[in-house]
Amino acid sequence: MKNVLVTGGCGFIGSNFIRYLLSESDFSGRVINVDRLTYAGNPENLAGIDTEFKERYVFVKADICDRVAMSEVFDTFQIDTICHFAAESHVDRSIAEPDAFIKTNINGTFNLLELARQNMNHLVLFHHVSTDEVFGSLGSDGYFTETTAYDPSSPYSASKAASDHLVMAYSRTYGLPITLSNCSNNYGPYHFPEKLIPLMILNALEGKPLPVYGNGQNVRDWLYVRDHCRAVWLVMQRGRRGETYNVGGRCEMANLSVVELICDTLDEMVPTATGSRRPLITYVKDRPGHDLRYAIDCGKIEKELGWLPEESFKTGIRKTIRWYLEHRDWVTRIKTGAYLEWIESHYQM
Ligand code: NAD
Ligand code: TYD
């Protein structure tokens, strides 16, 4: 793996992955980060990387749906490996406006697969990053395994399911060397503040209401983003080609408990004169098609590759809160839209 194309590298997980790959892993090649810079893509997430790794990092602003632009990327940088993160990723947005999800998540993935197929003679790997949401909802017990049937509920998860099927089909039909990972909800630094955890941290700090959907008893299995990045790199290096691996944090929590823990941790780290932040919790209308519970059995990646999450939710949430406290400027630039103005002035939108 000499020239690794990372798609969506300016997003939450992609930027953490690039930082991990260049700063912490044994990877010695070059990263080519292709990102369209949608509202969720923020070059500031990689501040310093371009200077620190001048010889080993390239950024190209492009849309993965653009066959001509992407073909040029493959040729110019002699791409031999792809780690595909780029996607529209927010369930609520997919319910309100599904179009972009179909375009990027399905057509964009198809586009990359076609280019990978055309470059088969020197392709080492196409790794596809997906979600446990493709499996739909669990009841109060049981776990998702790699053989659980797909049963997506939202336009987001349906589009990811379609992309997973395409990736698998390219492996079976054309022999494309692929690996696939389906992970649970990530959290950590650079998480865009529309998702549950950063939204609650920032609202709680500002004394704003904390909107909990329905009765707050929906369960997610929280995975610290660095643990996920370690898993992706391990699967890319040693995962069996043509296989999928589930990745979870072994941290099942009801949403209400997550929000309460955030309130209590903030109360301890940044006390207020008015006392507990828990009274900010506000129950709001439920999300349509809201999956009740996600929980991952990550026995396969544990047994085959020796991966284990290092972070518990208690330690991970503390690190995450500290990161948001120490990066108030990053937050302000997102909240005021200044990051979009910066992108516009630098990339001629
Ligand atoms: P994100 O929304 O933070 O980032 C997505 C990135 O993709 C952004 O930088 C955006 O600009 C870029 N992008 C979007 N459309 C593009 C296009 N057409 N061409 C090029 N770039 C484009 O998402 P994330 O949370 O970092 O998720 C990354 C991947 O991981 C996604 O594939 C997502 O489905 C998957 N995943 C995420 C989670 C999670 O908890 N965040 C869980 C499981 C799986
Ligand atoms: P989210 O972070 O959007 O991730 P996903 O939908 O991919 O799991 O939501 C996590 C959980 O939190 C989900 O059950 C919906 C719930 N939620 C709220 O209760 N309030 C909110 O404001 C948000 C954004 C999510």
Side-chain angles (χ1 to χ4, degrees), residues 140-309:
S140 52
D141 54 17
Y143 294 91
F144 296 134
T145 71
E146 286 77 3
T147 56
T148 301
Y150 277 36
D151 187 21
S153 303
S154 69
Y156 163 67
S157 51
S159 68
K160 291 297 290 187
S163 67
D164 290 11
H165 289 319
L166 280 168
V167 171
M168 209 39 103
Y170 270 63
S171 161
R172 292 186 194 158
T173 307
Y174 305 112
L176 201 75
I178 67 105
T179 45
L180 212 156
S181 50
N182 293 88
C183 71
S184 59
N185 288 61
N186 284 221
Y187 68 105
Y190 302 106
H191 207 179
F192 195 81
E194 63 185 351
K195 305 274 169 68
L196 180 76
I197 287 184
L199 181 76
M200 295 298 158
I201 295 172
L202 298 179
N203 277 13
L205 278 171
E206 291 173 28
K208 288 185 179 163
L210 308 175
V212 170
Y213 298 167
N215 61 8
Q217 291 312 308
N218 300 67
V219 171
R220 299 293 182 262
D221 173 0
W222 293 97
L223 172 65
Y224 192 67
V225 65
R226 187 176 175 280
D227 281 332
H228 179 210
C229 294
R230 286 173 43 240
V232 167
W233 181 230
L234 204 55
V235 171
M236 287 175 70
Q237 287 178 297
R238 304 217 325 265
R240 281 185 287 143
R241 281 16 187 177
E243 291 282 319
T244 122
Y245 292 84
N246 280 358
V247 189
R250 291 193 180 279
C251 283
E252 271 190 64
M253 301 264 290
N255 292 337
L256 183 60
S257 308
V258 169
V259 180
E260 286 174 346
L261 182 61
I262 290 172
C263 287
D264 298 349
T265 312
L266 274 174
D267 290 344
E268 190 200 311
M269 291 169 80
V270 193
T272 62
T274 46
S276 169
R277 289 174 170 92
R278 283 193 187 204
L280 296 171
I281 294 172
T282 311
Y283 294 94
V284 299
K285 195 165 173 279
D286 208 354
R287 170 188 282 172
H290 196 176
D291 288 331
L292 177 67
R293 177 170 164 261
Y294 302 145
I296 290 247
D297 174 347
C298 32
K300 181 171 169 179
I301 189 170
E302 285 177 9
K303 276 191 215 92
E304 285 190 18
L305 306 179
W307 176 88
L308 277 176

Side-chain angles (χ1 to χ4, degrees), residues 11-13 35-36 38 41 63-64 85 89 104 156 160 183 186:
F12 163 47
I13 307 175
D35 197 299
R36 191 185 136 204
T38 67
D63 187 335
I64 57 163
F85 290 97
S89 68
T104 289
Y156 163 67
K160 291 297 290 187
C183 71
N186 284 221

